Structures are given as structure tokens and as C-alpha cells.
Amino acid sequence: MPSVCLANKRLLVLAVCSVSWLAAASDNQTVAADIIGTKEPFASKAVYFVVTDRFVDGDPSNNQEEQGGEYPTFNRPIVNNGQAVANLGYMGGDFKGIVNNADYIAEMGFGAVWGTPVIDNPDQAFSGGFALGEGWFTDKGKTGYHGYWGVNFYELDEHLPSPGLDFTQFTQALDQAGLDFVLDIVGNHGSPSFDMPEDQPKFGEIYDQDGVLLADHKNTYPEELDMSDPLSAFFHPSQDIAQLSNFNENNPAVVEYLIGSYLHWLDAGADAIRIDTIKHVPNHFWKTVTDRLRAKYPDLFFFAEHWDHNAQAIAQHTFPENGGISVLDFPGQKAMQAVFGQEQKPMTELLSYLHLDDGVYANPYELMTFYDNHDMPRMNASDEGFIDAHNWLFTSRGIPVVYYGSETGFRRGRAEHAGNRDYYGQDRVDAGTEHPIRQALIKIASARKASVALQRGVQRNGAFSQNTAAFVREYQDAEFNETALVLLNKGDVAGTVTIYVPYSGRYQNLVTGELKELVQGEWSSEVSAHGVQVWSRRYPFE
């Protein structure tokens, strides 16, 4: 039988996984060929995602509390039945708030922080569009606190830096804590650009690195743009998302402007890139972008948002001809919410999204796995549900992403305009260090951080049931040889989980440190309620 199970993004079809691991293998035996899920270095990370303005206010002096005049930008609460249910304004989160808590983030086992876009946004609240309850996209009264309404893609938004802490110094401070920074970029739109009662400064405008105006929508509906005006050439004369300007990716000046801006932030210290709304721009644009950026940064890792629960739809971006871009695993997100949230569907529901060896993705082991984010309701789960979700997220295939506050179950079940993006704050950080969700997360994330098999190994599934799951993660090349047995139980009582042990030898529980001699063949272990066991065998034994 072949002795290799290799998943590699350079191969369009995953090689057939061997069953050589079923053959007897004692402590003084190794299989000959490589067994690799991915060699992508970024797969060693787990990612903590923050809406920067809503994490922690480390420097109140940059809050711009008087900004906006008639349309103020700071602290704009949404009131429903007399209660503030969300906020459309800036709340003060900044670079210093992240740096002050870099050790808090790293202690949870994360190796990267993904922050919302850092570029300059308008200085007023938007006066056009629909208010909450009036339409699908409800941007009326909203500010650019989230960072996605770019005006100058080369300029740092004034709400983020502090004296002695510009973007480069920010990324350097994260590096010192062992954290990469993931830059969030936009390629399809700028700020809201039409439907204002009167034109507002910066809205619908684009400026270059020197502050020169390059484009201006002039508060004009897209279909009414004067395309003979050079300031209109940046835009398509058609509406795409809400009132946001719609960039013309066929204009070479647009392509050069955006690529130049992305390189600007990479040169300043960004380590990886997350692409917003990738499906709104054709693949040829992203192929050009990734080729240009990787010409300077060959190992640059990209992942993107294509909100679709159909794996075939989101998988297109992962192939080399479309840029070789990983994606956020939305099919997995849907399955995880169903299994670990209020529905409590069986663990078997998780199997459908993995696509371990069917060639749907260029490499499934490089997908970004998550259960919620800033654009959807947070997962509505008990503390135990979050613990179970993390136990799965940090042991199964993919690169885990956890949204800020999830380590304490913050605003569970809340949607965007109902508390999803609420301000977290230093008081909650300090009060939540011993929270049971966070303490359990530290344990399982630390296990992943210590295990190349969990980070980059192939996954071979055993038995999945209503409440339990068993699978093997294995990685082998010239440098590493590790097999990890993963046993999960999301039930309210302890349960026996059985798994096939592929190799005899000494195994260590990466969660507890316990050592155990196991013999090749079926083996059963009692797993505590809402518990996880990760038994690792390294060869030679460390």
C-alpha cells in the first residue's frame, strides 16, 4: 500500500491517504513517507479577531470626542424601548488597548491578532441610507468605527495611534508578545458615497498617499455619474453594496492604488492579509494582487471572506489560478453553531464540512475555521457550549479564529445592531481572566500550540456520535513525526470514547501532561463531561 497521505495546495487533488498507519508500528519503527496536511507556516497560529474600536480604549486622548460637528462620531447609542442596545459611534478602542493586553491574548494560545482595517475613514456619521429597521443595509447614522469605509488607503486613522505607537511600533510591540498582525483589506469599495441630504466631507472621496484627491462620487447615484469626469473613473456606474462606492477593478489606476496601499502596510509591519468581501471583485483582480504582493513577500498568507455556506462556492479562491487564497470556512461556521449552540445537534453534523480528501478545496487544512464573527449573531451557547466548540476548533483541521470576548461568552446570541460589537473594555478583560471558558481555552489552545500534528497534520476520523467524536491527527516529514489521538465529549456526563491507536508507544496527554503506554489497536478512554483528551506520540519520544 502507498505510505503517504499528503495534502498540498500545489496539488489540485489530495493524494489518496494510505492506511499504512494501521500497520503495526512500535516505538522503534517509523513509516517511510511524508504524512502532511499542510506545510503553511501560518497554520501554526491561532487568530484572535478584534473590532479594534470595540476592544479596549488604551488611550482616551485619541478618541476625537468632539469630532463630526452636526454629525458627531463618538458614542452614538441605538436606543430601543429606552435601552441602549448597540452603538454606531466610535467607542475608543485603539492600538494601545491591544498592546496593553497582548500578553492576555498570547496567554490564551493565540499567535496572531486580526484587527479591523486601519485606514482613514470619514470624520462624520453618515446622513444617508437607511436607519435601523428601514432596510437590509442600515448605515444611516453609522460611523467608520469599523474601518471598512476607506477614504485614504495609505493614511492611518486618527483614532488608532498614540504618541510613540504608530502602526510600525504597534506591530513591533505585538511581535515582542509573539503575535503576528493580520491586516484587513478592502478591494471593492470605499465609503458611503451617495444619498446624503447634502454632500459630506470625505464621503465618496479617495485620496492618495500625499493627500491629493483622486476620486469623488460627489453624492451622486452611481447610474448618474459623469463618466467623462476624471474623478468618476475610479468607480463603476452601478450600485453594489448599500451606498458604498463601487471600485472599478478594470481601471489600472485603481489596481495600482490598491496594490500600492497594501504594500505600504506590509512594508510597515503587517504579517498576513485578510480580504473583505472577496466575491465582489472578479478573481483576475485578486490573482494580480496576490502575484504582486508575493513577488515582494513570497510567503505571504492570505485569507478571505466569501459569505456562503456552499463549499464549492467559496473554494474557488483557494486554487492557484485565482490567487491561492485561503477562506473563512462558512460551511464550518454553520455546522459549529448547530452542534455547540442551542440546537445541540449531533457531532456527526461536523463531518459534512471537512472535505478532507475530496478535492473541493486546494487544501482544506489551510482554511480559517470559526463559529461566529462581527457580521452575524454571536454563537448562542452555554459556557459548556463554548468550551466544547473550542475543544473541536483547536483540534480539528484548519486554523482557528476566535472573536473578541468569546472567551467569556460576551454578548452571546447578539446580532450586529443588538450588541454583537459592543465595547469590551479593560474592566471586562481584568474580570474575565479566570472565566471557565477562558481557562479551558488556554488549555486546549496551548495543546495545539505545542503540537505540529494538530496544527498541520492530516485528519483521519474515527467514530462520531451524538455527543462524542474520535479522530487522529498525524504529521510526518524529515523534521517532525507526531501522532495525536483526539477524544471529545460534549455531553453533560462522562462518556467512553473508543479510537484505533495506529502505533504502539508512549503517549502524552497534551492537556494534563499524563503519560500512558498504548498498544496498537482499539482503545477506550473515559472522557469527562464537556472534556477533551489529546494523546500525542512523538518519534523519537521527547
Side-chain angles (χ1 to χ4, degrees), residues 313-455:
I314 68 174
Q316 61 183 294
H317 310 290
T318 67
F319 290 95
E321 62 268 27
N322 294 329
I325 301 165
S326 178
V327 288
L328 287 153
D329 193 343
F330 278 89
Q333 175 271 321
K334 182 179 180 181
M336 278 187 263
Q337 284 224 4
V339 171
F340 302 115
Q342 293 298 304
E343 290 182 82
Q344 285 294 303
K345 289 195 172 182
M347 295 284 274
T348 52
E349 294 282 322
L350 300 169
L351 295 170
S352 62
Y353 82 81
L354 294 175
H355 298 286
L356 297 176
D357 55 10
D358 58 11
V360 169
Y361 298 104
N363 192 330
Y365 293 94
E366 296 173 8
L367 268 61
M368 309 301 292
T369 49
F370 70 109
Y371 51 77
D372 65 15
N373 66 20
H374 58 319
D375 287 330
M376 62 180 64
R378 286 179 178 258
M379 185 166 70
N380 191 10
S382 63
D383 285 2
E384 293 78 14
F386 279 97
I387 291 170
D388 295 333
H390 293 152
N391 288 342
W392 166 258
L393 190 66
F394 282 79
T395 57
S396 58
R397 74 104 175 104
I399 304 170
V401 181
V402 175
Y403 186 33
Y404 80 96
S406 298
E407 66 270 24
T408 60
F410 181 61
R411 298 294 191 261
R412 63 191 85 198
R414 301 282 192 89
E416 176 187 349
H417 292 126
N420 171 295
R421 302 182 186 180
D422 276 1
Y423 178 70
Y424 199 61
Q426 193 63 52
D427 289 346
R428 284 193 179 90
V429 170
D430 295 341
T433 55
E434 301 301 316
H435 195 285
I437 299 175
R438 184 173 186 270
Q439 288 300 305
L441 172 58
I442 289 173
K443 292 179 181 178
I444 193 58
S446 297
R448 185 185 189 274
K449 193 172 183 179
S451 170
V452 68
L454 294 185
Q455 297 166 13

Side-chain angles (χ1 to χ4, degrees), residues 22 57 65-66 71 118 140 165 174 188 201 210 214 233 251 280 290 322 349 358 380 389 410 424 460 505 539:
L22 294 176
D57 184 0
E65 294 185 26
E66 305 304 319
Y71 303 103
V118 300
K140 187 173 186 177
L165 194 66
L174 291 183
N188 67 306
D210 298 319
L214 297 179
N251 181 344
H280 290 268
T290 54
N322 294 329
E349 294 282 322
D358 58 11
N380 191 10
F410 181 61
Y424 199 61
R460 302 187 181 97
Y539 185 86

Side-chain angles (χ1 to χ4, degrees), residues 134-421:
E134 294 180 350
W136 178 249
F137 288 100
T138 53
D139 287 340
K140 187 173 186 177
K142 188 181 287 187
T143 64
Y145 73 87
H146 44 71
Y148 293 100
W149 291 354
V151 172
N152 188 330
F153 283 56
Y154 292 82
E155 183 179 341
L156 188 62
D157 191 88
E158 68 275 10
H159 296 85
L160 299 176
S162 298
L165 194 66
D166 62 15
F167 181 78
T168 295
Q169 292 162 325
F170 167 64
T171 60
Q172 289 171 343
L174 291 183
D175 287 342
Q176 291 173 6
L179 298 168
D180 284 356
F181 183 71
V182 179
L183 181 74
D184 201 334
I185 67 169
V186 181
N188 67 306
H189 68 77
S191 59
S193 57
F194 58 93
D195 196 47
M196 292 166 276
E198 294 183 359
D199 198 6
Q200 295 178 256
K202 289 192 174 182
F203 283 94
E205 299 170 5
I206 297 293
Y207 293 85
D208 72 8
Q209 194 166 7
D210 298 319
V212 175
L213 181 67
L214 297 179
D216 188 354
H217 222 279
K218 299 181 179 179
N219 195 24
T220 302
Y221 281 79
E223 294 77 11
E224 300 172 6
L225 283 171
D226 178 4
M227 299 311 295
S228 67
D229 184 346
L231 293 177
S232 298
F234 246 61
F235 311 118
H236 283 295
S238 57
Q239 187 175 354
D240 185 18
I241 302 175
Q243 290 77 36
L244 300 175
S245 59
N246 184 8
F247 289 164
N248 180 6
E249 73 284 350
N250 298 311
N251 181 344
V254 173
V255 176
E256 291 303 311
Y257 176 84
L258 292 172
I259 289 175
S261 72
Y262 307 151
L263 285 169
H264 171 78
W265 299 109
L266 289 168
D267 292 345
D271 299 291
I273 285 181
R274 181 263 185 183
I275 300 171
D276 186 57
T277 54
I278 191 172
K279 69 179 180 181
H280 290 268
V281 189
N283 287 329
H284 69 78
F285 170 83
W286 294 114
K287 173 63 172 168
T288 299
V289 169
T290 54
D291 284 351
R292 288 276 298 278
L293 270 57
R294 286 183 176 135
K296 187 169 186 180
Y297 296 96
D299 298 323
L300 184 61
F301 184 75
F302 296 82
F303 66 94
E305 174 217 26
H306 181 150
W307 192 334
D308 197 312
H309 294 120
N310 179 353
Q312 283 74 16
I314 68 174
Q316 61 183 294
H317 310 290
T318 67
F319 290 95
E321 62 268 27
N322 294 329
I325 301 165
S326 178
V327 288
L328 287 153
D329 193 343
F330 278 89
Q333 175 271 321
K334 182 179 180 181
M336 278 187 263
Q337 284 224 4
V339 171
F340 302 115
Q342 293 298 304
E343 290 182 82
Q344 285 294 303
K345 289 195 172 182
M347 295 284 274
T348 52
E349 294 282 322
L350 300 169
L351 295 170
S352 62
Y353 82 81
L354 294 175
H355 298 286
L356 297 176
D357 55 10
D358 58 11
V360 169
Y361 298 104
N363 192 330
Y365 293 94
E366 296 173 8
L367 268 61
M368 309 301 292
T369 49
F370 70 109
Y371 51 77
D372 65 15
N373 66 20
H374 58 319
D375 287 330
M376 62 180 64
R378 286 179 178 258
M379 185 166 70
N380 191 10
S382 63
D383 285 2
E384 293 78 14
F386 279 97
I387 291 170
D388 295 333
H390 293 152
N391 288 342
W392 166 258
L393 190 66
F394 282 79
T395 57
S396 58
R397 74 104 175 104
I399 304 170
V401 181
V402 175
Y403 186 33
Y404 80 96
S406 298
E407 66 270 24
T408 60
F410 181 61
R411 298 294 191 261
R412 63 191 85 198
R414 301 282 192 89
E416 176 187 349
H417 292 126
N420 171 295
R421 302 182 186 180

Side-chain angles (χ1 to χ4, degrees), residues 83-95:
Q83 298 294 317
V85 296
N87 202 295
L88 300 179
Y90 287 87
M91 298 296 289
D94 48 30
F95 287 165

Side-chain angles (χ1 to χ4, degrees), residues 96-112:
K96 194 168 184 180
I98 296 174
V99 169
N100 288 349
N101 293 285
D103 290 340
Y104 165 88
I105 296 169
E107 183 186 27
M108 290 187 285
F110 294 102

